Amino acid sequence: MDWKKLGKALLFPHIAVMIILIPVATAFLVYSMVFLGTESVIAIISYVLAAYTLTIWCFKIPYLICFFRTFKNENKYARLWQEDTRLRVNISLYGSLAWNGLYGIFQLWLGIYHRTFWFSSLGAYYICLAVMRFFLVRHSRKHEPGEKMLEELRKYRACGIVFLVMNLALALIVFFMIYWNRTFTHHMITAIAMAAYTFTAFTTAIINMVKYKKYNSPIFSATKAISFAAACVSMLTLTSTLLTTFSDGTMDAFSQKILLGCVGAAVSVTVVILAVYMIVQGTKKIKLLNAAKE
């Protein structure tokens, strides 16, 4: 037996095998964590399979970096995506618009069906985000960034004003969550997935707010501010989910309400500060542009 060849085959299997192993190992691991104990033979096998899958993908990282670098430089569509900032923002806006609109309508339907302001306030918040993105999409689709700076600034300032109105819906969300103990209870795996998504979205939103500022386009800045506001609300929802999902009885109901109230107040204040900044900066730059024209 050629042990060298066998070791190479195990550590560097065909890419098709590696791709198949991802869903298989994931499903096997989740099943073991949810339905089996840690001492089960099947559970141990699932852990070994998951570790093996992670290991072979780590060995493949240098090749993947080289592959994607070559693909990015040689493929015309990849180069177009990389170089056309307007295209990236527009696609992001269309996707976010569809998500916010559908999710907001779904929450409003739940509010009507269950006759509760809890879901209605969530629906109002996400529909406001969808409306803001709709007007930004219309402008970005027709005009190049900075082509109509005065109009961009007016839309940027309008988004700040809408943020202040949205804060009323956000305040309702926090109120119902605390006063009526409206919290989210999910399975542990779901809660972990929500945490990973929320922190990724929050980090990405902050990075993009700084990154897209260099393009000097109020429309681009407004889109990233919307993403940041949505990430803040997701952080509030995540806090409630983690408190109920991983509660071990050490924190009483009153302490949970205090913590949720603090997080809710922080999110609300952050949105207000963002809105005021957008209104002040938009108004200031509009005055400067009008003065320059005169």
Side-chain angles (χ1 to χ4, degrees):
M1 179 180 292
D2 190 345
W3 293 101
K4 184 177 180 181
K5 188 175 182 179
L6 177 63
K8 185 177 180 180
L10 288 174
L11 294 177
F12 300 96
H14 192 274
I15 188 66
V17 176
M18 296 176 63
I19 293 174
I20 293 173
L21 277 175
I22 293 177
V24 172
T26 302
F28 204 14
L29 182 63
V30 171
Y31 177 80
S32 299
M33 294 177 65
V34 174
F35 299 105
L36 302 177
T38 56
E39 298 180 357
S40 170
V41 175
I42 298 178
I44 294 174
I45 294 174
S46 70
Y47 299 151
V48 173
L49 181 62
Y52 171 70
T53 303
L54 179 61
T55 301
I56 61 177
W57 274 102
C58 288
F59 282 138
K60 208 74 172 180
I61 287 178
Y63 169 79
L64 292 174
I65 293 175
C66 181
F67 171 80
F68 284 113
R69 185 178 297 167
T70 304
F71 179 81
K72 181 182 69 173
N73 295 331
E74 296 181 358
N75 186 275
K76 64 177 182 178
Y77 298 108
R79 290 201 307 270
L80 177 63
W81 175 264
Q82 181 184 2
E83 297 169 0
D84 195 338
T85 306
R86 182 186 174 194
L87 174 64
R88 295 199 305 271
V89 173
N90 282 343
I91 292 178
S92 174
L93 276 173
Y94 278 116
S96 301
L97 173 62
W99 164 252
N100 284 160
L102 292 174
Y103 189 72
I105 292 171
F106 175 68
Q107 293 292 334
L108 281 180
W109 177 81
L110 287 177
I112 296 172
Y113 182 79
H114 294 288
R115 297 180 181 180
T116 172
F117 286 107
W118 163 247
F119 292 115
S120 299
S121 58
L122 276 177
Y125 187 88
Y126 282 99
I127 285 178
C128 284
L129 289 180
V131 171
M132 292 168 68
R133 283 191 162 111
F134 173 74
F135 286 107
L136 295 178
V137 162
R138 289 184 60 189
H139 180 92
S140 181
R141 181 171 55 87
K142 295 178 181 179
H143 306 289
E144 293 286 342
E147 180 181 347
K148 292 185 176 292
M149 183 58 72
L150 186 59
E151 188 175 340
E152 284 196 33
L153 286 170
R154 286 171 178 166
K155 284 182 168 57
Y156 179 78
R157 183 177 61 179
C159 286
I161 296 172
V162 175
F163 269 136
L164 290 179
V165 178
M166 288 168 57
N167 202 54
L168 296 176
L170 183 60
L172 284 174
I173 294 173
V174 177
F175 173 77
F176 290 132
M177 183 180 290
I178 297 173
Y179 185 77
W180 285 346
N181 197 27
R182 292 284 188 176
T183 56
F184 300 87
T185 304
H186 298 282
H187 191 274
M188 181 179 65
I189 301 298
T190 305
I192 294 173
M194 288 177 61
Y197 168 79
T198 301
F199 282 109
T200 301
F202 192 78
T203 304
T204 303
I206 294 176
I207 293 173
N208 284 335
M209 286 182 68
V210 177
K211 178 181 177 181
Y212 280 84
K213 193 174 182 180
K214 67 181 180 181
Y215 295 108
N216 194 29
S217 171
I219 290 293
F220 287 0
S221 297
T223 62
K224 301 311 168 186
I226 293 173
S227 298
F228 178 73
C232 287
V233 175
S234 296
M235 190 66 71
L236 174 62
T237 305
L238 176 65
T239 302
S240 173
T241 300
L242 295 180
L243 283 175
T244 54
T245 303
F246 296 99
S247 177
D248 57 358
T250 57
M251 180 178 290
D252 55 25
F254 180 75
S255 299
Q256 290 185 4
K257 288 184 177 182
I258 292 296
L259 179 58
L260 283 175
C262 292
V263 175
V267 170
S268 183
V269 169
T270 300
V271 173
V272 170
I273 292 174
L274 180 63
V276 172
Y277 175 83
M278 294 173 72
I279 294 171
V280 171
Q281 288 296 314
T283 303
K284 182 179 178 181
K285 292 181 179 180
I286 288 172
K287 290 181 178 180
L288 291 175
L289 279 179
N290 290 331
K293 288 182 179 180
E294 295 175 358

